[in-house]
Amino acid sequence: MKKKILIVKADYYKDISKGLERSAISLLSKEYIVKIISVPGVFEIPVTISKNLKKFHGFIALGCVIKGKTPHFDF
């Protein structure tokens, strides 16, 4: 039986998240069933994973927070 992996990626920085997604998928072997869910930002990643805990065997969280004018980096 193939194990199911959920990739949750924050799409705020689309170019960065696409590169992270490509790298993650390239490292996973073909023996996994992979589903990808895109969320608007990094704060939605843990919520999305918690809603899917019983549906998948493993999770990969992908996102980028860049220090700027907002306090997101500090959280």
Side-chain angles (χ1 to χ4, degrees), residues 8-74:
V8 182
K9 91 177 161 162
D11 253 351
Y12 190 80
Y13 297 103
K14 293 195 184 298
D15 291 340
I16 294 171
S17 65
K18 190 64 181 167
L20 292 170
E21 177 187 338
R22 273 193 303 262
S23 294
I25 290 172
S26 73
L27 294 173
L28 291 171
S29 69
K30 302 281 188 233
E31 64 190 62
Y32 295 105
I33 298 169
V34 178
K35 180 177 179 180
I36 301 168
I37 296 177
S38 295
V39 295
V42 294
F43 289 129
E44 291 82 12
I45 291 173
V47 174
T48 304
I49 289 173
S50 67
K51 288 181 178 179
N52 288 282
L53 279 176
K54 296 185 180 188
K55 298 177 187 173
F56 293 89
H57 296 98
F59 301 90
I60 299 174
L62 302 175
C64 175
V65 179
I66 297 174
K67 190 169 186 170
K69 294 179 183 178
T70 64
H72 288 85
F73 184 82
D74 296 324

